[in-house]
Amino acid sequence: MSSTIATFIKEKRKQLKVTQPELAERAGVGLRFVRELEQGKQSVRLDKVNQVLALFGSELGVIQKTEA
Amino acid sequence: MSSTIATFIKEKRKQLKVTQPELAERAGVGLRFVRELEQGKQSVRLDKVNQVLALFGSELGVIQKTEA
DNA sequence: CATATTTATACCCTTATGGGTACAAATATA
DNA sequence: TATATTTGTACCCATAAGGGTATAAATATG
C-alpha cells in the first residue's frame, strides 16, 4: 500500500532494482538525502522530494485524510 | 480544482475567511512561510507544509501524474 | 474617492538541511 | 558460514530556509 512517502519511494526503488546511490544520482540529489527520505525524515525539502518522485512518474500533492 | 499546493492552501484559507497572519499563528509557522507557500515556493519544508495543511484536515502525499 | 485591511517584498540573523564522505551495521549471495 | 553488496549512522561545512520585522503594493470597505 505504501502509505507514507518514505515507503512509497523505497518500494518503487526496489521494484526498479536500483540502489540508493543510483537513485540519488539519477534524481540529482545527494545520497544522504535519499537515505534520510527513505527513513521517514519529515523536515525535508519539497522540491527535492519531487525530484526523486519524478523518477517514478509521481509527485507530491494534497490528499484528504481518510476517515477513521 | 486547486491543482497546486499553493492554490489549495490559498483557497482553503479564504473559505475559512482567515488572514495569512491568523493562519500562520494557528499553524505554528511564520507569517513569511505562509506567504512564500501561497506564492508557490518549491523549496519549502515538508513538515511545515503539513503543519499548515493539517488545519484543513489534509496532508501531503504521493500522487500519480495524470496522463496528458 | 479616501481609508482601512490584507498581502507582497526586502532586510538581517539563526539554525539546520543537504552535500560529501567514512565507517559500522545489516542484508544478500556464494 | 565467509564474503560481497547494500544500507544506516556520524562527521564537518556551506548554503539557504524560516522567523521577525518594516515597508510598499494591492485589495477591500466606508
Side-chain angles (χ1 to χ4, degrees):
Chain A
M1 297 293 187
S2 70
S3 52
T4 69
I5 296 168
T7 57
F8 177 87
I9 290 175
K10 199 166 197 169
E11 288 174 9
K12 282 289 184 180
R13 178 176 63 78
K14 295 202 167 179
Q15 281 178 23
L16 302 183
K17 299 207 183 305
V18 175
T19 64
Q20 289 176 343
E22 287 169 343
L23 186 72
E25 179 162 23
R26 290 194 198 179
V29 300
L31 170 58
R32 222 195 47 187
F33 177 80
V34 170
R35 289 178 172 165
E36 289 176 333
L37 190 57
E38 291 194 355
Q39 235 113 48
K41 186 181 183 184
Q42 295 296 309
S43 55
V44 288
R45 277 176 52 173
L46 189 64
D47 57 343
K48 297 201 170 289
V49 178
N50 276 326
Q51 268 182 257
V52 174
L53 288 176
L55 298 179
F56 312 130
S58 305
E59 62 183 274
L60 282 182
V62 179
I63 61 176
Q64 305 296 324
K65 283 181 183 168
T66 52
E67 295 298 314
Chain B
M1 304 288 188
S2 68
S3 51
T4 69
I5 296 167
T7 57
F8 177 87
I9 290 175
K10 199 165 197 168
E11 288 172 10
K12 282 288 185 180
R13 178 176 63 79
K14 295 202 166 179
Q15 282 178 21
L16 301 183
K17 298 208 185 304
V18 175
T19 64
Q20 289 176 342
E22 287 169 342
L23 186 72
E25 178 161 23
R26 290 196 199 180
V29 299
L31 171 56
R32 223 194 47 186
F33 177 79
V34 171
R35 289 176 174 166
E36 290 176 331
L37 190 57
E38 291 194 355
Q39 232 110 46
K41 186 180 180 184
Q42 295 296 310
S43 56
V44 288
R45 275 175 53 171
L46 190 63
D47 57 342
K48 297 197 170 290
V49 178
N50 276 325
Q51 268 181 257
V52 175
L53 287 176
L55 298 179
F56 312 130
S58 305
E59 62 184 277
L60 281 181
V62 178
I63 61 176
Q64 304 297 323
K65 285 182 184 170
T66 52
E67 294 299 314

